Amino acid sequence: MTNYAVVNPATGETVKTFPTITDAELEAAIASAAEAHRTWSKSTTVDERAALVRRVGELHVERRQELAEIIVREMGKPIEQALGEVDFAGAIYEYYADHAAEFTKDEPITLLDGEGSAVVRRSSLGVLLGIMPWNFPYYQVARFAGPNVIIGNTILLKHAEQCPESAAAIEQIFRDAGAPEGVYVNVYASHDQIETVIADPRVQGVSLTGSERAGAAVAEIAGKHLKKVVLELGGSDPFILLSTDDLEATVQNAVDARLDNNGQSCNAAKRFVVIDELYEPFLEKFTAKIAEVEATDPTSADSALGPLSSLRAAEGLDSQVKRAVEHGAKLVHGGSRDGAFFQTTVLTDVTPENPASKEEFFGPVAQVFRAADEADAVRIANDTPFGLGSYVYSTDREQALRVADQIEAGMVFVNVVLADGAELPFGGIKRSGSGRELGRFGADEFVNKKLIRIG
């Protein structure tokens, strides 16, 4: 029996199933990746690996329609957003191809004493395991595989069980781009098999994007076997509104930041912390604007909100909202579910004692908080176990930077939303994980920074 299946969340139809890899096949996959690192990685130049990665990016863009339609079926992303994700993935591969030489060049060290010279030379570690989530099936893989293939690491990729078709499509792209056997290997592995992969001495590191629970489990196994880990986990990002010259535009930004990817983005704005004098007008306009967005057929070019990724996900979100209300939250708008489709929802009066204040709501549910002043806004923003991203809106630049310095998060965006870029490091602190992806920092995680001291 397999857990890997394409189940269209909009219809509930099981479109296709894929067999879980056998133990023998998994052993062959690990051996293939290890052999590719021993041979291909050691015999190719950075420029040659960059050319491969560039072609991978080009093929994403060339096949954008096909790739986008796959993930609409797999996890319900609206088609226009799916096309945008494919394009972004292509841009990430292109970015790392463009900067390959810069990110892998030797770094001289100025000696404090003695004759000669010293340099840090970057080289690959070996086989890496990537454990990827369903919410951004192409983008998540690109930000892991792109830099690491350029470095010379080889990839074992375990995708989410509901994304087997996109997983296969990515592996095919690497093959069509000219990647030799073992450079990028897709494995439909079970959780027990993944534990075996992490423990294998040929595997040198693990990158996981997923839930806190999954991150803790993987980190425990990796720690036991002394493996490097990068974790990108959940988030309950604050959107702090202190002042604005255009409330309508700010409200639209807030809605966009909440509803991107059907509200299923780790670094989406989820808790809206509004200064007292703006609270009532913001809440009124925000509720009206978010209520205009209705969940529709994700295959339509006009769809701004599709179903959640699965019926199970929608049922879980429904339970969270009901529990929040039972503990005193006020349901200002929404809260209803139709299969995997979930209505846009606004909650207020969420107290620190309410479980909702410490949870991540992975769907189109927004919590709105009233802050007495700047200090109170910072307090509310930081009152969470998460620390991934955050948003600060203020017309006072000094205030915005002052607040940004106080926010406990890995990322702060000031007066802008949906501004992720291939060049910008992505990651969090606290229970949102550790390590960074994207940008120069993302290319420096799974690297042997070897010191060479010459006398």
Side-chain angles (χ1 to χ4, degrees):
M1 184 175 179
T2 180
N3 291 323
Y4 285 88
V6 179
V7 180
N8 189 329
T11 65
E13 176 192 5
T14 299
V15 180
K16 191 175 183 181
T17 61
F18 293 73
T20 303
I21 196 169
T22 66
D23 289 345
E25 290 168 337
L26 183 62
E27 164 58 31
I30 299 171
S32 174
E35 179 64 13
H37 182 258
R38 189 185 69 81
T39 56
W40 174 82
S41 296
K42 303 297 185 183
S43 63
T44 53
T45 66
V46 171
D47 287 345
E48 288 170 336
R49 296 193 294 271
L52 167 64
V53 167
R54 187 181 304 281
R55 185 59 185 147
V56 168
E58 291 170 349
L59 287 174
H60 274 73
V61 176
E62 291 174 17
R63 301 175 185 180
R64 65 193 298 268
Q65 188 67 37
E66 170 194 348
L67 295 175
E69 290 174 359
I70 288 173
I71 60 175
V72 173
R73 290 193 295 272
E74 286 182 331
M75 48 76 62
K77 189 190 300 284
I79 184 63
E80 290 302 311
Q81 293 182 32
L83 289 165
E85 180 187 337
V86 176
D87 290 342
F88 192 17
I92 291 170
Y93 289 113
E94 181 183 19
Y95 170 81
Y96 280 111
D98 287 345
H99 294 272
E102 174 190 349
F103 291 161
T104 58
K105 68 182 179 181
D106 288 351
E107 184 178 335
I109 297 177
T110 301
L111 296 175
L112 296 178
D113 191 21
E115 299 296 324
S117 62
V119 67
V120 169
R121 178 159 296 167
R122 286 167 168 78
S123 59
S124 60
L125 292 182
V127 181
L128 303 179
L129 170 64
I131 304 173
M132 297 292 113
W134 49 260
N135 57 336
F136 291 94
Y138 303 117
Y139 157 73
Q140 297 282 172
V141 173
R143 69 188 201 182
F144 167 64
N148 282 303
V149 169
I150 279 174
I151 290 161
N153 295 313
T154 54
I155 305 297
L156 294 170
L157 200 291
K158 188 270 180 205
H159 221 316
E161 283 87 346
Q162 70 192 77
C163 295
E165 193 174 0
S166 56
I170 297 168
E171 184 182 49
Q172 189 62 53
I173 282 176
F174 270 87
R175 289 175 179 170
D176 293 346
E181 182 179 351
V183 171
Y184 182 99
V185 186
N186 176 60
V187 292
Y188 296 129
S190 69
H191 291 207
D192 288 343
Q193 288 174 320
I194 286 302
E195 184 170 349
T196 299
V197 176
I198 297 172
D200 193 292
R202 292 166 292 185
V203 176
Q204 301 302 311
V206 187
S207 179
L208 174 140
T209 298
S211 67
E212 291 178 80
R213 181 180 177 182
V218 166
E220 180 180 7
I221 300 166
K224 177 181 177 182
H225 295 281
L226 301 177
K227 304 293 176 72
K228 171 69 184 287
V229 179
V230 169
L231 300 174
E232 195 271 277
L233 309 179
S236 188
D237 294 6
F239 181 110
I240 302 173
L241 174 56
L242 300 171
S243 60
T244 178
D245 287 332
D246 188 342
L247 185 58
E248 294 285 351
T250 301
V251 165
Q252 185 62 60
N253 283 358
V255 171
D256 293 343
R258 185 65 204 95
L259 297 186
D260 181 51
N261 200 41
N262 300 336
Q264 300 167 120
S265 177
C266 297
N267 65 323
K270 300 184 177 82
R271 297 178 300 125
F272 297 84
V273 184
V274 185
I275 202 78
D276 184 67
E277 56 264 31
L278 289 175
Y279 178 83
E280 294 296 344
F282 174 87
L283 179 61
E284 179 182 356
K285 291 180 181 296
F286 178 77
T287 302
K289 181 63 68 173
I290 205 169
E292 293 175 1
V293 183
E294 297 183 357
T296 56
D297 177 5
T299 64
S300 169
D302 297 327
S303 178
L305 182 70
L308 295 194
S309 62
S310 66
L311 179 61
R312 180 180 177 183
E315 290 172 342
L317 187 63
D318 189 32
S319 296
Q320 279 186 289
V321 171
K322 286 182 168 62
R323 186 168 62 249
V325 173
E326 289 170 359
H327 284 81
K330 180 180 179 182
L331 183 63
V332 177
H333 169 73
S336 66
R337 177 180 69 84
D338 181 9
F341 290 88
F342 205 94
Q343 186 181 18
T344 56
T345 299
V346 179
L347 297 171
T348 62
D349 301 343
V350 177
T351 64
E353 295 74 32
N354 193 319
S357 70
K358 304 297 188 293
E359 295 175 344
E360 177 181 25
F361 282 67
F362 220 53
V365 177
Q367 300 179 38
V368 185
F369 297 82
R370 186 194 300 264
D373 52 27
E374 176 187 313
D376 194 38
V378 171
R379 178 191 63 78
I380 296 169
N382 288 337
D383 188 21
T384 173
F386 300 103
L388 188 55
S390 57
Y391 305 85
V392 178
Y393 272 67
S394 173
T395 56
D396 183 337
R397 177 180 172 82
E398 290 187 4
Q399 180 188 48
L401 294 177
R402 182 171 65 244
V403 170
D405 284 343
Q406 297 176 72
I407 293 177
E408 298 168 356
M411 301 173 286
V412 183
F413 293 88
V414 177
N415 295 331
V416 65
V417 300
L418 305 180
D420 295 353
E423 77 282 10
L424 302 177
F426 188 107
I429 61 171
K430 300 198 288 189
R431 296 191 70 83
S432 289
S434 59
R436 293 294 181 269
E437 293 183 302
L438 296 176
R440 177 176 65 83
F441 297 96
D444 226 21
E445 289 287 354
F446 294 103
V447 175
N448 178 14
K449 304 176 185 71
K450 183 188 294 182
L451 169 67
I452 301 176
R453 171 70 165 90
I454 302 172

